[in-house]
């Protein structure tokens, strides 16, 4: 269940300890530790105004979530980022809400409230933003699905957001806590699937609007409505949407001319059974990794099409549609085109580096030199770091110092290994070298594995020195549920990332009658059913498509019932089918691996 909540809280300084939270060390003390960190998302920290901005946002967070303490948060890009334009914020905000089934008049209502708070956006009748919404409305698209499309028209079209929104000096910041456990004890009786926190800060008017969206997975939290208690006294609120007013303008500090008042708007709407959003975006879901970082649930696969340069447009299309996760590998030969796409997206300001999660992998023929493989990938991608570096397969193939040939063969055509694929342990050396990379360089944020069976994980995990694999990327779909392996990964706190979600070329998985039935039932594409099967079970998924229209339109997340999810699982249990049966997978201990005569132990 994804949901939007809308309410308006009072000033952060309502709370007695508000002022103390704007501590001297943050604001006044020039010798504070932040001197050492010159830059921050708010500007140079040596400037007192920058520190005040930061302190002010912390006070708002402390006030909005009074049970939490945000005073130890650092003003780093790990926790905050600046959103460059109101257009970008409106784009993100509207797309999330429309895809959740919220109507455009609710959006209008929300932006009207923000207008009146900030006094910078023209009133409804004259707002280009609102007229843009009305124009789209008048195209006759009444359904939720079409509202969603109309939002995209808005963002891709000529309608621009209100100019004075930014001209009046608004700065927009996104709070993206690097450690989301700070929210674990909130009064919400559920674990959020995703959350967004934005501050619109009008320095000139000395006002802040705080927007907060949270998504909840109804499949996992079916009792939420029965148990919800939103207010701090534990009283259940009424079922209707409400605005909690907080109009009072409070003095921030009598002697401080910089900011003398503030207001906060917080989204907070009671869920009820008639208003449970029917659809959310898969692109809005993230999963927490065991090292505290997050991975976006929907990633674009980049196995090359016939002409690999097409990848550039595929990536651009995906990112503009909302994908924030790209899966690639040295082996695919597509990294330079992904790099071109990312450069264009960064240059045009569509995203910043920290907005996108990029995975690459070291291939078995490079098993001896994972850092060299990574350096080549980084060079082609045009990046300083990747978010996730995976060991592509737990085997060692005989490649030269440049990892070539990628598929070395003996004269008889058999694969040329440097180590026995069944009993060898050189693959562990590769993983340990990857640990050294994360330990000694800033080239990767997280490391993980791919194509690891239970026997291989059992060999690796006791030999991990310091950095547990955060993911295992494996073939997974309703025809191959691999329950034992999925369960084993869960126990070991390893997020499963599903590759070949539709069975690769020809998309055979989508021909399964149950998937077609469910697509009709939930009024989505078969691809979206295949993705929901993973995402609703806490797994990331990597679709690939050369069809740009398909890339754009397979991003909704239907809320399949527990019963339907179980039916999908049963499909593969009844008649399992693996589609990727490459010869370098022989001997690894995977079930249903066609041609594998080497494996002796299975998962
Ligand atoms: N770690 C590993 O060893 C490993 C192995 C395999 C894959 N992966 C990763 O996972 C990603 C996805 O896996 P995959 O490449 O095997 O592909 P996939 O996403 O399972 O399948 C993609 C293929 O299905 C077709 N397709 C998708 N939807 C369709 C529809 N509705 N109707 C008809 N055809 C449809 C696509 O054709 P169109 O192009 O026409 O849409 C494309 O040919 C890879 O790109 C890669 O990033 C990792």
């Amino acid at each position: 269940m994804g949901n939007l909540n809308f309410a308006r809280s009072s000033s952060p300084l309502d709370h007695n300890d508000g002022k103390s939270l704007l501590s001297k060390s943050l604001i006044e003390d020039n010798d504070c530790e932040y001197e050492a960190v010159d830059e921050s998302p708010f500007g140079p920290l040596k400037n007192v105004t920058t520190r005040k901005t930061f302190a002010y946002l912390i006070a708002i967070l402390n006030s909005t979530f009074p049970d939490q303490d945000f005073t130890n948060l650092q003003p780093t890009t790990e926790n905050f980022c600046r959103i460059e334009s109101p257009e970008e914020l409106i784009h993100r905000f509207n797309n999330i809400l429309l895809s959740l089934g919220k109507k455009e008049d609710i959006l209008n209502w929300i932006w009207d409230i923000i207008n009146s708070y900030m006094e910078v956006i023209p009133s409804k009748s004259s707002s280009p933003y609102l007229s843009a919404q009305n124009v789209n409305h008048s195209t006759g698209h009444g359904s939720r699905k079409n509202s969603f499309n109309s939002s995209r028209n808005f963002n891709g079209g000529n309608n621009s957001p209100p100019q004075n929104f930014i001209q009046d000096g608004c700065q927009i910041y996104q709070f993206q806590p690097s450690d989301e456990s700070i929210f674990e004890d909130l009064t919400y009786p559920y674990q959020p699937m995703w959350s967004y926190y934005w501050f619109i800060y009008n320095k000139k008017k000395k006002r802040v609007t705080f927007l907060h969206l949270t998504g909840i997975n109804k499949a996992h939290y079916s009792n939420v409505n029965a148990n919800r208690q939103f207010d701090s006294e534990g009283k259940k609120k009424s079922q209707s949407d409400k605005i909690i007013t907080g109009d009072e303008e409070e003095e921030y500090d009598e002697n401080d001319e910089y900011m003398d008042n503030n207001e906060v708007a917080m989204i907070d709407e009671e869920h009820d059974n008639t208003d449970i959003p029917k659809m959310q975006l898969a692109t809005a879901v993230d999963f927490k990794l065991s090292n505290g970082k997050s991975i976006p649930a929907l990633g674009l696969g980049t196995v090359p099409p016939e002409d690999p340069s097409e990848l550039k447009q595929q990536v651009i299309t995906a990112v503009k549609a909302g994908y924030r996760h790209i899966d690639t590998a040295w082996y695919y030969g597509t990294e330079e085109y992904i790099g071109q796409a990312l450069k264009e997206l960064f240059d045009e300001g569509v995203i910043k580096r920290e907005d996108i999660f990029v995975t690459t992998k070291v291939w078995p023929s490079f098993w001896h030199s994972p850092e060299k493989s990574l350096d080549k990938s980084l060079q082609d991608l045009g990046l300083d770091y990747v978010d996730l570096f995976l060991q592509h397969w737990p085997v060692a193939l005989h490649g030269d110092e440049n990892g070539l040939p990628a598929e070395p063969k003996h004269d008889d055509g058999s694969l040329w290994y440097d180590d026995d694929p069944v009993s060898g342990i050189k693959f562990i050396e590769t993983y340990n070298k990857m640990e050294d990379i994360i330990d000694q360089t800033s080239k990767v944020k997280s490391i993980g594995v791919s194509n690891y069976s239970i026997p291989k994980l059992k060999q690796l995990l006791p030999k991990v020195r310091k950095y547990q694999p955060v993911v295992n990327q494996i073939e997974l779909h309703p025809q191959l549920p691999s329950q034992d392996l999925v369960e084993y990964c869960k126990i070991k706190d390893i997020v499963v990332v599903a590759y070949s979600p539709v069975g690769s070329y020809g998309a055979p998985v989508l021909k399964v009658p149950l998937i077609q039935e469910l697509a009709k039932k939930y009024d989505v594409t078969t691809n979206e059913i295949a993705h929901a099967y993973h995402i609703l079970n806490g797994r990331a998924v990597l679709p690939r498509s050369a069809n740009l229209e398909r890339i754009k339109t397979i991003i909704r997340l239907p809320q399949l019932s527990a019963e339907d999810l179980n039916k999908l699982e049963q499909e593969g249990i009844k008649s399992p089918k693996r589609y990727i049966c490459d010869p370098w997978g022989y001997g690894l201990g995977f079930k249903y691996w066609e041609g594998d005569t080497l494996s002796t132990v299975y998962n």
Side-chain angles (χ1 to χ4, degrees), residues 300-303 327 332 361 392-393 450-451 473 499-507 510 526-527 542-547 550 580:
L300 182 76
T302 64
V303 159
D327 179 78
Y332 300 163
K361 314 183 189 92
H392 211 143
W393 297 80
S450 176
N451 294 300
Q473 191 184 116
Y499 74 64
S500 302
V502 301
S504 210
Y505 295 93
L510 302 184
T526 45
N527 296 72
L542 304 172
R544 163 180 64 91
S545 180
N547 177 331
R550 177 134 56 227
I580 305 293

Side-chain angles (χ1 to χ4, degrees), residues 199-297:
F199 302 91
I200 305 170
Y201 171 35
N202 189 329
K203 212 167 180 174
K204 197 165 142 197
K205 304 259 178 193
K206 300 170 183 169
R207 288 186 174 187
V208 178
T209 294
F210 179 47
L211 296 167
H212 169 208
L213 300 183
T214 298
I216 315 152
N217 187 338
K218 186 177 172 250
H220 295 171
Y221 299 95
S222 52
N223 292 326
V224 158
N225 276 322
N227 300 327
R228 289 179 64 117
Q229 294 180 342
F230 264 78
D231 59 17
S232 50
E233 283 95 42
K235 285 185 205 135
K236 200 152 192 270
K237 286 184 187 170
S238 76
Q239 295 288 310
S240 58
D241 296 355
K242 54 168 71 172
I243 302 174
I244 303 166
T245 54
D247 293 328
E248 62 274 28
E249 294 193 355
E250 297 235 354
E251 286 295 300
Y252 166 72
D253 179 341
E254 282 177 350
N255 302 318
D256 186 357
E257 290 186 3
Y258 172 67
M259 282 180 282
D260 62 1
N261 58 53
N262 66 79
E263 299 206 8
V264 180
M266 174 183 142
I267 304 298
D268 184 16
E269 171 197 296
E270 189 71 34
H271 297 227
D272 71 24
N273 287 331
T274 57
D275 191 30
I276 291 169
K278 312 279 185 305
M279 203 76 73
Q280 75 177 73
L281 287 183
T283 48
V285 180
D286 285 343
F287 295 120
K288 184 105 167 268
L289 300 170
S290 61
N291 62 2
K293 302 198 182 301
S294 297
I295 184 169

Side-chain angles (χ1 to χ4, degrees), residues 414-431:
S414 62
L415 276 174
W416 185 353
Y417 287 97
D418 275 348
D419 206 7
D420 187 272
V422 180
S423 59
I425 52 166
K426 284 196 161 75
F427 73 94
I428 297 172
E429 259 178 64
T430 308
Y431 188 83

Side-chain angles (χ1 to χ4, degrees), residues 175-217:
F175 172 47
Q176 43 190 24
S178 53
D179 177 9
E180 287 185 25
S181 62
I182 55 176
F183 285 110
E184 266 170 16
D185 298 328
L186 280 178
T187 47
Y188 302 121
Y190 51 80
Q191 181 73 34
M193 284 178 75
W194 50 263
S195 292
Y196 289 97
Y197 311 90
W198 293 293
F199 302 91
I200 305 170
Y201 171 35
N202 189 329
K203 212 167 180 174
K204 197 165 142 197
K205 304 259 178 193
K206 300 170 183 169
R207 288 186 174 187
V208 178
T209 294
F210 179 47
L211 296 167
H212 169 208
L213 300 183
T214 298
I216 315 152
N217 187 338

